[in-house]
Amino acid sequence: MPQKKPVENDKNQLTHFDTSGKAHMVDVGGKSETHRIAIACGTIRMKPETLAVVENHTADKGDVLGIARVAAIMGAKRTSDLIPLCHPVALTRVTVDFTITENSILCQARTETVGKTGVEMEALTAVQTGLLTIYDMLKAIDRGMTITDVRLLEKSGGKTGTWNAENRN
Amino acid sequence: MPQKKPVENDKNQLTHFDTSGKAHMVDVGGKSETHRIAIACGTIRMKPETLAVVENHTADKGDVLGIARVAAIMGAKRTSDLIPLCHPVALTRVTVDFTITENSILCQARTETVGKTGVEMEALTAVQTGLLTIYDMLKAIDRGMTITDVRLLEKSGGKTGTWNAENRN
Amino acid sequence: MPQKKPVENDKNQLTHFDTSGKAHMVDVGGKSETHRIAIACGTIRMKPETLAVVENHTADKGDVLGIARVAAIMGAKRTSDLIPLCHPVALTRVTVDFTITENSILCQARTETVGKTGVEMEALTAVQTGLLTIYDMLKAIDRGMTITDVRLLEKSGGKTGTWNAENRN
Amino acid sequence: MPQKKPVENDKNQLTHFDTSGKAHMVDVGGKSETHRIAIACGTIRMKPETLAVVENHTADKGDVLGIARVAAIMGAKRTSDLIPLCHPVALTRVTVDFTITENSILCQARTETVGKTGVEMEALTAVQTGLLTIYDMLKAIDRGMTITDVRLLEKSGGKTGTWNAENRN
Amino acid sequence: MPQKKPVENDKNQLTHFDTSGKAHMVDVGGKSETHRIAIACGTIRMKPETLAVVENHTADKGDVLGIARVAAIMGAKRTSDLIPLCHPVALTRVTVDFTITENSILCQARTETVGKTGVEMEALTAVQTGLLTIYDMLKAIDRGMTITDVRLLEKSGGKTGTWNAENRN
Amino acid sequence: MPQKKPVENDKNQLTHFDTSGKAHMVDVGGKSETHRIAIACGTIRMKPETLAVVENHTADKGDVLGIARVAAIMGAKRTSDLIPLCHPVALTRVTVDFTITENSILCQARTETVGKTGVEMEALTAVQTGLLTIYDMLKAIDRGMTITDVRLLEKSGGKTGTWNAENRN
């Protein structure tokens, strides 16, 4: 039996606009406070020799990924400052992991709250800030790096329940 | 005759770390103030029916791209708050364009300054903030959108001169 | 029978100062979390020909009011950064409307939270930021615009209950 | 002989939008760095008994205007964070004065820079933040206060030269 | 009978790092919301003649401590922006006091919240910001001032209960 | 021959206040742009067993000092947001070092700019933010740590020239 997909809104109506087309910060006052989790990921692709420098800089020689992780966590906390219609959210947890593959670094961020609205944007902002920080530290040796495949992997909590990228429509 | 590529640093030394591996904000005090330009781009991919909603929301029904453009411009101004080792920069110009293709929206940002350090990170941060804002406004109808191919297209000014993505190594 | 006006503090004691005159962020820890709403408004007056430009810039030619609305919503979120003794508040809703009259634009903002303290300052900050943003975009053609009549229209929730500008003392 | 009024832009073209109507942060890279000054003012009107409380709170009993002044100065520094298309400006001076009249407090702010773009928005933002802060501290005793007549008094420096509210068109 | 000291973590494990040594924002989602209080203090030492200037500037001649108090309160609100792994906290109260001694000024800050995590960092950040602000205002006459003895005095609420500096291990 | 001490202001007049005692952001518009450097330091004292944990957390097990260094650098950039009367400064360099002694960690920060005003506050804010971040990461195992001896070591550039802590009055 296929997994039941979460209810989505009417495809012709964006919740961030009222019926006359004006943007607003959506009313979440009536939503219940639930435990909400989001997991997002993204990748930065680079030349193998650039990647070798990163691998050489995780300990005494300067911790590229350690700094990117701090930036990602701090970025998650700035989400509602950056994204105009995002609600301020009291994050209760943020974790950020990096995985080095052949020619890229994968960043995965997990954000959580107990609140009235989801934390998908916080997870995505963490990923973007982490990857931009890697770009910044490496750009002197490789300006051609590309940030790619930034997306939501999973979210749970709230009225629409659990969603994951595998089973989406 | 092939274009001469810009001089790059020693591949084994990251400028953001001193010789003992400690991160620092690089000394740019001795650099000359030149006109610096950076152009970056990125894409958000989505289902055709989601894209149709965006196209339907550029005027009276709520201007998704107009809001994303404002967020991108404001995001550029927050770059040094977000990226740990970035210098504060007095931007003299920011422009942001969106192009709708078959199943994606392309964002291109151009940042400029007259100063001692480049504005590549500002252009990339503008793109990321713009695309994240689009994601935010559309996520209620399509959580599976992907932000991809975020990269620098071109930069000019400063000691390393002009670089563009076409002719890079 | 006249409406009973809400209880107000002793006129000679400001809550933002302790008995020795030192400013503090008032203790709201013991207050109950209630649904709180505030509505504020304000006006920017300008020459008729300036107003005509705004009316000409609501769609393809550049959406002055759309940008001002985004700024107003984001401004509401920055209230506790700007106003020294304001508590941080998790806004659950922000809406902003503009009405064009003969020689002015009226801005009305509504802010809501479910929390221990009111959101009047958030509504007023939204209005001010929205009107300042209009000024910014039009100042090249009319520096003499005036922002006026910025005030609270209504608030509800919390111990002092409902207040509206019509029935005030 | 009447004073020559400063050159103004084509009334049908807003500099904050390109020819296709897209908002941008205007290019000021080519402008010369001149000494720029702006003076703005605004008023908050209140009941005489509220004003008496303020007058009673300028020294040992809690300095309402002292706090509002600090907020106004700090607000000036946040201008480019709040106003979407404002350039970041390195302010070289900010002064803020309050004058108490019969039933209102007048706030006047002066901002200066040596730079490529004017500081009108910084002066106006200082005034607004100062007046909002007064509102915040007094709202418990008088929610019906009104902020009014916020406007630019004078500006000098830059290509358009000196402008003052008296001689405007 | 000696007071039982609060349970502390395993001395070899820092909660801000996971088992593989990666920094994270600790999960507080499962913690209960309790009334949490923290009190911190710190001192700035200066030459007697500098101190005399401060004492001379608490009323009409410019209120050094009044401004430092506002900065301290606002600083408390910025804590999670500054300290990478701090959770955002909705402060419900902040008070800041200064005491002038023979050759120094003592700053004491009290922060409170009703929430899932403590407010020690907020109290310490308030103290530091207040003392730095005093330094800033006096540095033109005495650059040799020293900020010293910044520490937590007391905290209560949460799982680890009450702690005070007197009875610590 | 004794070193000539730098000229200091009249001891009874604070530059941050005008003659009537009102705080202002001092006019630096007429100052020349010179290369300015400041070096500040500070110490956090802790139990030897706490210090042992830090020493154990500089590489694979979680880099306490690496994170504190990032926070310190970012803190320097936030100085004018935190200190009310500080001018915004375009820092051209920030370095932060930590030295572990028997029972404490010493933080030293160096900030530089080419500008009209000094960077002493930026160096001190970097130190404070770095030390607070160490406190934050270790507080679960030792709440009794003390931040102490935060002071300016040296500054150069600008009209008052070079100052260092050794030769001060």
Side-chain angles (χ1 to χ4, degrees):
Chain A
M1 205 180 82
Q3 181 182 329
K4 206 169 155 200
K5 64 181 172 170
V7 178
E8 292 192 340
N9 291 349
D10 170 1
K11 291 279 187 294
N12 296 315
Q13 192 199 337
L14 293 181
T15 52
H16 285 65
F17 298 96
D18 66 17
T19 51
S20 66
K22 286 166 199 149
H24 56 172
M25 189 197 284
V26 178
D27 185 10
V28 299
K31 289 191 175 183
S32 53
E33 301 218 330
T34 66
H35 183 195
R36 292 162 191 273
I37 304 173
I39 303 174
C41 69
T43 294
I44 184 164
R45 283 200 219 123
M46 59 189 70
K47 291 186 282 193
E49 53 266 41
T50 310
L51 199 59
V53 174
V54 177
E55 293 182 290
N56 203 20
H57 277 82
T58 46
D60 286 1
K61 295 201 178 171
D63 185 1
V64 170
L65 299 184
I67 292 171
R69 184 179 290 110
V70 171
I73 292 170
M74 295 180 86
K77 293 192 272 185
R78 310 303 294 273
T79 304
S80 73
D81 275 358
L82 293 169
I83 310 299
L85 306 177
C86 258
H87 297 83
V89 167
L91 289 165
T92 55
R93 186 189 193 189
V94 183
T95 64
V96 177
D97 277 306
F98 294 102
T99 312
I100 294 183
T101 68
E102 207 177 336
N103 63 349
S104 66
I105 301 170
L106 175 74
C107 175
Q108 184 167 315
R110 176 191 181 104
T111 51
E112 301 189 21
T113 195
V114 179
K116 293 172 178 298
T117 185
V119 287
E120 293 97 319
M121 294 314 301
E122 282 71 15
L124 287 162
T125 302
V127 167
Q128 296 277 45
T129 310
L131 296 176
L132 282 172
T133 299
I134 292 175
Y135 185 97
D136 180 47
M137 285 187 282
L138 299 175
K139 71 179 188 293
I141 59 170
D142 183 4
R143 279 200 181 81
M145 290 172 288
T146 302
I147 293 172
T148 198
D149 286 323
V150 179
R151 62 202 174 96
L152 187 66
L153 285 179
E154 200 179 311
K155 77 104 200 171
S156 65
K159 199 182 59 181
T160 56
T162 299
W163 179 95
N164 74 65
E166 299 305 307
N167 297 309
R168 82 177 179 103
N169 217 12
Chain B
M1 205 180 82
Q3 182 183 326
K4 207 170 154 199
K5 65 181 171 169
V7 178
E8 292 191 340
N9 291 348
D10 171 358
K11 293 277 187 294
N12 294 315
Q13 194 198 337
L14 293 181
T15 52
H16 285 65
F17 298 95
D18 66 17
T19 52
S20 65
K22 285 166 198 148
H24 56 170
M25 189 197 283
V26 178
D27 184 9
V28 299
K31 290 191 175 183
S32 53
E33 301 219 331
T34 65
H35 184 194
R36 294 162 190 272
I37 304 174
I39 303 174
C41 69
T43 294
I44 183 164
R45 281 199 221 124
M46 59 189 71
K47 290 186 283 192
E49 53 266 42
T50 310
L51 199 58
V53 174
V54 176
E55 293 183 290
N56 202 23
H57 276 81
T58 46
D60 286 1
K61 296 202 178 170
D63 185 1
V64 170
L65 299 184
I67 293 172
R69 183 179 291 111
V70 171
I73 293 170
M74 296 180 86
K77 293 193 272 186
R78 309 303 295 273
T79 304
S80 73
D81 276 358
L82 291 170
I83 310 299
L85 306 177
C86 257
H87 297 83
V89 168
L91 289 165
T92 56
R93 187 188 192 188
V94 183
T95 63
V96 177
D97 277 306
F98 295 101
T99 311
I100 294 182
T101 68
E102 207 177 335
N103 63 348
S104 66
I105 301 170
L106 175 75
C107 175
Q108 184 168 315
R110 176 191 180 105
T111 51
E112 301 189 21
T113 195
V114 179
K116 293 172 178 299
T117 186
V119 287
E120 293 96 319
M121 294 315 300
E122 282 72 14
L124 286 162
T125 303
V127 168
Q128 296 277 47
T129 311
L131 296 177
L132 282 172
T133 300
I134 292 175
Y135 186 96
D136 180 45
M137 285 187 282
L138 299 174
K139 70 178 190 292
I141 59 170
D142 184 4
R143 278 200 182 82
M145 291 173 287
T146 302
I147 293 173
T148 198
D149 286 322
V150 179
R151 61 201 175 98
L152 187 66
L153 283 180
E154 200 179 311
K155 77 105 199 169
S156 65
K159 200 182 58 179
T160 55
T162 299
W163 178 95
N164 75 65
E166 300 305 307
N167 297 308
R168 81 176 180 103
N169 216 13
Chain C
M1 204 180 82
Q3 180 182 329
K4 208 172 155 198
K5 63 179 174 172
V7 179
E8 293 190 341
N9 292 349
D10 170 0
K11 291 280 188 292
N12 295 315
Q13 193 199 337
L14 292 181
T15 53
H16 284 65
F17 298 94
D18 66 17
T19 51
S20 66
K22 286 166 198 147
H24 56 170
M25 189 197 285
V26 179
D27 184 9
V28 299
K31 289 190 176 184
S32 53
E33 301 219 331
T34 66
H35 184 195
R36 293 160 190 273
I37 303 173
I39 302 174
C41 68
T43 294
I44 183 164
R45 281 199 220 125
M46 59 189 71
K47 291 186 283 193
E49 53 266 42
T50 310
L51 199 59
V53 174
V54 177
E55 294 182 290
N56 203 20
H57 277 81
T58 46
D60 285 1
K61 295 201 178 172
D63 184 2
V64 171
L65 300 184
I67 292 172
R69 184 179 292 111
V70 171
I73 293 170
M74 295 179 86
K77 292 192 272 185
R78 309 303 294 272
T79 304
S80 73
D81 276 357
L82 292 169
I83 310 300
L85 306 177
C86 257
H87 296 82
V89 168
L91 289 165
T92 55
R93 186 187 192 190
V94 183
T95 63
V96 177
D97 277 307
F98 295 101
T99 311
I100 294 182
T101 69
E102 207 177 336
N103 63 349
S104 66
I105 301 170
L106 175 74
C107 175
Q108 184 167 315
R110 176 191 180 104
T111 51
E112 302 189 20
T113 196
V114 178
K116 292 173 177 297
T117 185
V119 286
E120 293 96 320
M121 295 313 300
E122 282 71 14
L124 287 162
T125 302
V127 167
Q128 295 278 46
T129 310
L131 296 175
L132 282 172
T133 299
I134 291 175
Y135 186 96
D136 181 46
M137 285 188 281
L138 299 174
K139 70 178 189 294
I141 59 172
D142 183 3
R143 278 202 182 79
M145 292 172 287
T146 302
I147 293 173
T148 199
D149 286 323
V150 178
R151 61 201 174 97
L152 187 66
L153 284 180
E154 199 179 312
K155 76 106 200 167
S156 64
K159 199 182 59 181
T160 56
T162 298
W163 178 96
N164 75 65
E166 300 305 306
N167 296 311
R168 81 178 179 102
N169 217 11
Chain D
M1 205 180 80
Q3 180 181 331
K4 206 169 154 200
K5 65 180 172 170
V7 179
E8 292 191 341
N9 292 350
D10 171 358
K11 291 278 187 294
N12 295 315
Q13 192 198 339
L14 293 181
T15 53
H16 285 65
F17 297 94
D18 66 18
T19 51
S20 66
K22 285 166 198 148
H24 56 171
M25 189 197 283
V26 178
D27 184 9
V28 299
K31 290 191 175 183
S32 53
E33 301 219 331
T34 66
H35 183 194
R36 294 161 189 274
I37 304 174
I39 304 174
C41 69
T43 294
I44 184 165
R45 282 199 219 124
M46 59 190 71
K47 291 185 283 192
E49 53 266 41
T50 309
L51 199 58
V53 173
V54 177
E55 294 182 289
N56 203 20
H57 277 83
T58 46
D60 286 1
K61 296 202 178 169
D63 185 1
V64 170
L65 299 184
I67 292 172
R69 183 179 292 111
V70 171
I73 292 170
M74 296 179 86
K77 294 193 271 185
R78 308 304 295 273
T79 304
S80 73
D81 276 357
L82 291 170
I83 310 300
L85 306 177
C86 257
H87 296 82
V89 168
L91 289 165
T92 56
R93 186 188 193 191
V94 183
T95 63
V96 176
D97 278 306
F98 295 101
T99 311
I100 294 182
T101 68
E102 207 176 335
N103 63 349
S104 66
I105 301 170
L106 175 74
C107 175
Q108 185 168 313
R110 175 192 180 104
T111 51
E112 301 189 21
T113 195
V114 179
K116 294 172 176 297
T117 185
V119 287
E120 294 96 319
M121 295 314 301
E122 282 72 14
L124 287 162
T125 303
V127 168
Q128 297 277 45
T129 310
L131 296 176
L132 282 173
T133 299
I134 292 174
Y135 186 96
D136 181 47
M137 285 187 283
L138 299 174
K139 71 178 190 292
I141 59 171
D142 183 3
R143 279 201 182 80
M145 292 173 287
T146 302
I147 293 173
T148 198
D149 286 322
V150 179
R151 62 203 174 96
L152 187 66
L153 284 179
E154 198 180 312
K155 77 104 201 170
S156 65
K159 199 182 58 181
T160 56
T162 299
W163 178 95
N164 74 64
E166 299 306 307
N167 297 309
R168 81 178 179 103
N169 217 14
Chain E
M1 204 181 82
Q3 180 181 331
K4 208 169 154 200
K5 64 181 172 169
V7 179
E8 291 190 343
N9 292 349
D10 170 0
K11 290 279 186 295
N12 295 316
Q13 193 198 337
L14 294 181
T15 53
H16 285 65
F17 297 95
D18 66 18
T19 51
S20 65
K22 286 166 199 148
H24 56 171
M25 189 196 283
V26 178
D27 184 9
V28 299
K31 290 190 175 184
S32 54
E33 301 218 330
T34 66
H35 184 195
R36 293 161 190 272
I37 303 173
I39 303 173
C41 69
T43 294
I44 183 165
R45 283 199 219 123
M46 59 189 71
K47 292 185 283 192
E49 52 266 42
T50 310
L51 199 59
V53 174
V54 177
E55 294 182 290
N56 203 21
H57 277 82
T58 46
D60 285 1
K61 296 202 178 171
D63 185 1
V64 171
L65 300 184
I67 292 172
R69 183 178 291 110
V70 171
I73 293 170
M74 295 180 87
K77 293 192 272 185
R78 308 304 294 273
T79 303
S80 73
D81 275 358
L82 291 170
I83 310 301
L85 306 177
C86 257
H87 296 83
V89 168
L91 290 165
T92 56
R93 187 187 192 190
V94 183
T95 64
V96 177
D97 277 305
F98 295 102
T99 311
I100 294 182
T101 68
E102 207 177 334
N103 63 349
S104 67
I105 301 171
L106 175 75
C107 176
Q108 184 168 315
R110 176 192 181 104
T111 51
E112 301 189 20
T113 195
V114 179
K116 293 172 177 297
T117 185
V119 287
E120 293 97 319
M121 295 315 300
E122 282 71 15
L124 287 162
T125 302
V127 168
Q128 296 277 46
T129 310
L131 296 176
L132 282 172
T133 300
I134 292 174
Y135 186 96
D136 180 47
M137 285 187 283
L138 299 174
K139 70 178 190 293
I141 60 172
D142 183 4
R143 279 202 183 79
M145 291 173 288
T146 301
I147 293 173
T148 199
D149 286 324
V150 178
R151 62 202 174 95
L152 187 67
L153 284 179
E154 199 179 311
K155 76 106 201 168
S156 64
K159 200 182 58 181
T160 56
T162 298
W163 178 96
N164 76 64
E166 300 306 307
N167 297 309
R168 82 176 180 105
N169 216 14
Chain F
M1 204 180 83
Q3 181 182 327
K4 206 171 154 199
K5 63 180 172 171
V7 179
E8 292 191 341
N9 292 350
D10 171 0
K11 292 279 186 295
N12 295 315
Q13 192 197 338
L14 292 182
T15 53
H16 285 66
F17 298 94
D18 66 18
T19 51
S20 66
K22 285 165 198 149
H24 56 170
M25 189 197 284
V26 178
D27 185 8
V28 299
K31 290 191 174 183
S32 53
E33 300 218 331
T34 66
H35 183 194
R36 293 162 189 273
I37 304 174
I39 303 174
C41 69
T43 294
I44 183 165
R45 281 200 221 124
M46 59 189 71
K47 292 186 283 192
E49 52 266 42
T50 310
L51 199 58
V53 173
V54 177
E55 294 183 289
N56 203 21
H57 277 82
T58 47
D60 285 0
K61 295 201 178 169
D63 184 2
V64 170
L65 299 184
I67 292 172
R69 183 179 292 110
V70 171
I73 293 170
M74 296 180 87
K77 294 192 272 186
R78 310 303 295 273
T79 304
S80 74
D81 275 358
L82 291 170
I83 310 300
L85 305 176
C86 256
H87 297 83
V89 168
L91 289 165
T92 56
R93 186 187 192 191
V94 183
T95 64
V96 177
D97 277 307
F98 295 101
T99 311
I100 294 182
T101 69
E102 207 178 335
N103 63 349
S104 66
I105 301 170
L106 174 75
C107 176
Q108 184 168 314
R110 175 192 180 104
T111 52
E112 302 189 20
T113 196
V114 179
K116 293 171 177 298
T117 186
V119 287
E120 293 96 319
M121 295 314 300
E122 282 72 14
L124 287 163
T125 303
V127 168
Q128 296 277 46
T129 311
L131 296 176
L132 282 172
T133 299
I134 292 174
Y135 186 96
D136 180 47
M137 285 187 282
L138 300 174
K139 69 178 190 294
I141 58 171
D142 183 4
R143 278 201 183 79
M145 291 172 286
T146 301
I147 293 173
T148 199
D149 287 322
V150 178
R151 61 202 175 96
L152 187 66
L153 284 180
E154 199 180 311
K155 77 105 199 169
S156 65
K159 200 182 59 180
T160 56
T162 298
W163 179 95
N164 74 64
E166 300 305 306
N167 297 309
R168 81 178 180 103
N169 218 12

